[in-house]
Amino acid sequence: MTHTNTTTAVRGGLLAAAALLLATAPSAQAAPQESTRGDWLFVTLTTGDARSRDTRSTLLRCDPPQGHGRAAEACAQLESADGDIGAISSWEVYCPMIYAPVTAHARGQWHGRPVQYRETFSNKCVLAARTGAVFALDG
């Protein structure tokens, strides 16, 4: 019986300590928002399917353009589309009919508005033709 009371007291103390730490800790989401003022997108590119994947990501900032191999070009394309990735002018290109899926995901803010984008393309050529330099994470 004594063992059970000690265990209960220790467990209660640990729960109280954990609650105190959670109540006084700064929000994990507050820091990224404070450090990412202006126009920015966290872009992620996943190549492959569920069996085999390669994921790369970066923070694209546009005030001034940085954090991305083709930041100036990507920011200019986003500016012309008012931050809407789906509205970026498509290129007239002939892409091979090879299925090598690639999923593009972006979240962030453009002129104070939230941006969310996610689409899977049949291959990198189609991705580049439709989204310009935004997801060109290879350089």
Side-chain angles (χ1 to χ4, degrees):
M1 229 16 151
T2 306
H3 178 67
T4 304
N5 289 338
T6 305
T7 303
T8 304
V10 169
R11 187 178 298 146
L14 289 174
L15 288 173
L20 180 62
L21 283 173
L22 287 174
T24 59
S27 170
Q29 299 230 349
Q33 291 174 355
E34 290 173 10
S35 65
T36 53
R37 293 187 173 105
D39 298 332
W40 62 274
L41 292 177
F42 184 73
V43 294
T44 302
L45 186 63
T46 304
T47 56
D49 56 18
R51 295 176 303 228
S52 161
R53 304 197 153 154
D54 175 32
T55 300
R56 284 188 245 155
S57 57
T58 192
L59 180 64
L60 168 64
R61 301 177 106 192
C62 291
D63 296 325
Q66 59 185 336
H68 184 294
R70 293 170 57 188
E73 185 181 357
C75 291
Q77 290 169 346
L78 284 164
E79 184 63 40
S80 69
D82 197 28
D84 182 1
I85 297 170
I88 291 175
S89 297
S90 296
W91 302 341
E92 291 294 324
V93 220
Y94 291 103
C95 291
M97 293 181 63
I98 297 172
Y99 185 69
V102 58
T103 301
H105 180 255
R107 66 178 172 77
Q109 102 176 7
W110 193 265
H111 297 306
R113 294 183 321 265
V115 173
Q116 283 286 340
Y117 178 86
R118 182 180 186 90
E119 189 166 344
T120 300
F121 299 91
S122 57
N123 57 51
K124 285 185 178 182
C125 177
V126 177
L127 166 78
R130 297 216 184 123
T131 63
V134 175
F135 294 99
L137 302 183
D138 295 334

